[in-house]
Amino acid sequence: VTLPVLYALEDPDLAPCIRSIQPGSPAADIDAVLAAIRRGDALDRSELMRRQYLREALLAVEPLRSHPAYGQLEVLHRYFGGKTA
């Protein structure tokens, strides 16, 4: 289960639809639930959490700036932050 789904499960109208999806569920049912999740705020909330964790990670590694591994930590931060350059 991904974070957007966990957030979507907080919606009392959407939660039963999500819980009804099983390994053998028809693709149309799965598509309908995914579309409903996209229409809600779960993706936006997940993005906010991602950004929050990235900020916290950057603050946590800042004291290691002089450490030889700091460059690799910066690369990871850019990767997870969506910045490849």
Side-chain angles (χ1 to χ4, degrees), residues 9 14-26 29 33:
L9 283 167
L14 185 53
C17 299
I18 295 170
R19 288 191 176 98
S20 73
I21 298 299
Q22 300 297 317
S25 294
D29 292 352
V33 168

Side-chain angles (χ1 to χ4, degrees), residues 3-78:
L3 186 57
V5 173
L6 292 173
Y7 281 142
L9 283 167
E10 294 176 358
D11 181 330
D13 295 325
L14 185 53
C17 299
I18 295 170
R19 288 191 176 98
S20 73
I21 298 299
Q22 300 297 317
S25 294
D29 292 352
I30 296 169
D31 290 342
V33 168
L34 291 174
I37 291 171
R38 284 187 203 103
R39 284 191 303 272
D41 68 347
L43 294 175
D44 290 336
R45 291 174 65 194
S46 297
E47 175 61 16
L48 287 173
M49 181 169 278
R50 181 188 73 88
R51 289 179 185 189
Q52 175 186 342
Y53 280 133
L54 281 169
R55 280 190 302 273
E56 290 176 16
L58 192 58
L59 291 173
V61 300
E62 184 58 33
L64 303 173
R65 186 171 276 284
S66 63
H67 192 279
Y70 185 79
Q72 286 95 3
L73 294 172
E74 279 187 314
V75 169
L76 287 172
H77 187 268
R78 283 194 309 271

